[in-house]
Amino acid sequence: METGAVRILGFAGSLRRGSFNRGLLRAAVEVAPEDVHVEVFDLRGIPLYDMDVEQQGLPEPVVAFKRAIRDADAVLVATPEHNWSFPGVLKNALDWAARPAGDNPFRGKPVAVMGATTGAWGTLRAQLHLRQVLAYLETHPLPRPEVLVTHAREKFDGEGRLVDESTRARVRELVVALRDWARFLKGAAPR
């Protein structure tokens, strides 16, 4: 990784191996400029939130997730849309990350959101709901550009690779904007 590079942690709110949203993250890794390193975290190992489990100590996948968030300069979330909102898998991971109370690695992090769906709305509702939760987590969401991928089956190949060039360009634009947002906020932070 280049010295001074911005480290972005990406994760998808889908567990499906062939997920279009996982494909968006792979595209983000591929199109990122040289001064950006995108690391992808798989939410698969994070158990369902249970306060009884939390009181016994955080499960190792949760500890790893929180560490990855802390180590990142910025966060990139790829969300599907389920029933007009973002999936429970994603909400569960965010809930775990903010526990125990007072130990929130998201606080102050620059965050960008993108999403892909087979329908015509491109995860618009899911992203709006997710932004509400991110506001509560005290992140700094990047307002634009928006990446709302519609009709995803037409834009990904059989291996889940994003092949639509205009969408790849929009993903790159988002990664660059998140890099710049992270650098701006770091410079604006009190010393």
Side-chain angles (χ1 to χ4, degrees):
M1 183 167 61
E2 180 181 305
T3 303
V6 172
R7 295 164 305 171
I8 296 175
L9 176 68
F11 51 91
S14 175
L15 302 180
R16 188 171 65 87
R17 293 194 199 292
S19 159
F20 297 125
N21 288 283
R22 286 171 168 252
L24 280 179
L25 287 175
R26 281 191 299 278
V29 170
E30 294 167 1
V31 302
E34 289 183 16
D35 62 347
V36 174
H37 174 72
V38 180
E39 174 189 343
V40 177
F41 190 94
D42 188 346
L43 301 181
R44 183 175 300 278
I46 296 177
L48 290 176
Y49 177 75
D50 180 337
M51 186 177 276
D52 292 336
V53 173
E54 177 193 343
Q55 290 174 346
Q56 300 300 313
L58 297 179
E60 182 50 41
V62 173
V63 171
F65 183 46
K66 290 174 70 100
R67 183 181 321 113
I69 296 164
R70 276 195 181 88
D71 290 346
D73 297 310
V75 175
L76 177 61
V77 184
T79 184
E81 183 165 301
H82 295 177
N83 301 317
W84 290 14
S85 191
F86 63 97
V89 167
L90 182 51
K91 179 66 165 73
N92 182 65
L94 298 175
D95 289 347
W96 266 118
R99 302 296 301 173
D103 183 22
N104 174 13
F106 282 109
R107 183 176 292 118
K109 288 284 178 191
V111 178
V113 179
M114 61 182 177
T117 184
T118 57
W121 290 90
T123 70
L124 176 65
R125 294 178 187 107
Q127 289 192 37
L128 289 172
H129 290 172
L130 178 54
R131 286 174 182 275
Q132 289 177 317
V133 174
L134 292 171
Y136 179 80
L137 293 175
E138 300 180 61
T139 67
H140 296 290
L142 178 69
R144 283 191 174 66
E146 293 179 310
V147 176
L148 304 157
V149 181
T150 61
H151 308 292
R153 283 191 187 95
E154 301 167 9
K155 296 173 180 160
F156 291 81
D157 68 14
E159 306 299 313
R161 185 171 185 277
L162 180 61
V163 293
D164 182 76
E165 288 305 319
S166 66
T167 305
R168 288 177 69 83
R170 287 184 16 237
V171 170
R172 180 180 168 84
E173 182 184 356
L174 181 67
V175 170
V176 168
L178 182 57
R179 175 202 65 194
D180 295 346
W181 184 233
R183 287 179 173 161
F184 171 78
L185 290 172
K186 188 174 185 179
R191 300 195 191 285

